């Protein structure tokens, strides 16, 4: 992870950040699980996340984009499961070519740092039931399941919720 830096996205890299997000989700066959194909537009729209949330990117020493995550406060446009005192993160994406380098973990740790900076109590997220690699990452970092907050955005898709105290 020493060659990975997480920082706020810059306006000039929004198209590339959106493309990276979509590419990462496509590599994981995300849309084969009943997710509406229209969600691809949401994933590719980094501009909206930049304007209405906090958009973080992970880059290497040469400023190549490696990954991204969207950070949202409760009650804002990109929050889905957060409550008062919680910081939510969504659309965690690592470029398939940059996987197994600690990029995802670096992005999650940056979110936790941001929650502490904002003096919040915890961080929350939801992800698909069928993403065991992500579940292992979150559990290894100390996240716990909140099954009472699991939900279905569309009938065929079950999202499970994780939280961690910060």
């Amino acid at each position: 992870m020493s060659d990975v830096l997480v920082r706020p996205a810059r306006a000039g890299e929004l198209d590339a950040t959106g493309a990276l997000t979509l590419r990462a989700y496509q590599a994981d066959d995300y849309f084969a699980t009943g997710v509406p194909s229209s969600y691809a537009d949401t994933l590719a729209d980094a501009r909206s996340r930049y304007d209405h949330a906090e958009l973080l990117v992970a880059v290497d020493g040469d400023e190549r984009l490696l990954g991204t995550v969207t950070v949202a406060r409760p009650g804002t446009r990109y929050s889905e499961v957060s409550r008062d005192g919680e910081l939510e993160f969504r659309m965690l994406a690592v470029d398939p070519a940059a996987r197994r380098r600690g990029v995802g973990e670096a992005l999650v740790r940056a979110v936790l740092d941001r929650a502490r900076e904002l003096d919040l109590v915890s961080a929350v997220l939801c992800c698909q039931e069928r993403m065991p690699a992500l579940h292992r990452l979150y559990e290894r970092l100390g996240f716990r399941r909140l099954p009472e907050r699991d939900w279905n955005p569309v009938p065929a898709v079950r999202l499970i919720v994780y939280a961690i105290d910060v």
Side-chain angles (χ1 to χ4, degrees):
M1 278 195 326
S2 62
D3 68 331
V4 177
L5 170 72
V6 178
R7 60 165 172 75
R10 298 177 182 149
E13 59 198 9
L14 297 179
D15 288 343
T17 301
L20 180 152
T21 306
L22 182 57
R23 187 169 56 253
Y25 276 67
Q26 288 171 328
D28 292 331
D29 285 331
Y30 187 76
F31 296 98
T33 63
V35 174
S37 60
S38 61
Y39 191 59
D41 295 336
T42 301
L43 293 170
D45 186 8
R47 164 74 56 196
S48 181
R49 296 192 302 279
Y50 178 83
D51 289 342
H52 300 285
E54 292 184 50
L55 184 62
L56 301 178
V57 294
V59 297
D60 66 12
D62 294 323
E63 287 291 313
R64 282 187 295 255
L65 289 173
L66 305 174
T68 182
V69 67
T70 299
V71 182
R73 295 185 195 196
T76 61
R77 181 175 176 174
Y78 282 96
S79 69
E80 292 179 324
V81 296
S82 59
R83 298 178 179 167
D84 285 341
E86 298 175 337
L87 190 64
E88 182 171 348
F89 66 98
R90 299 185 51 200
M91 298 182 220
L92 177 69
V94 176
D95 190 304
R99 292 187 179 171
R100 301 213 175 277
R101 290 178 53 188
V103 176
E105 181 174 340
L107 287 161
V108 172
R109 290 188 183 282
V111 171
L112 301 181
D113 289 344
R114 185 68 179 126
R116 287 183 202 98
E117 288 170 8
L118 295 169
D119 201 28
L120 298 172
V121 176
S122 61
V124 297
L125 69 109
C126 56
C127 65
Q128 272 199 11
E129 231 171 4
R130 64 169 273 308
M131 299 178 115
L134 281 176
H135 303 174
R136 284 190 300 273
L137 169 65
Y138 300 139
E139 291 164 6
R140 183 172 50 80
L141 293 175
F143 282 79
R144 67 189 180 287
R145 285 277 292 112
L146 296 179
E148 68 279 7
R149 288 166 69 177
D150 293 354
W151 64 295
N152 298 76
V154 295
V157 177
R158 182 83 174 150
L159 297 180
I160 62 173
V161 179
Y162 281 92
I164 189 170
D165 295 334
V166 295

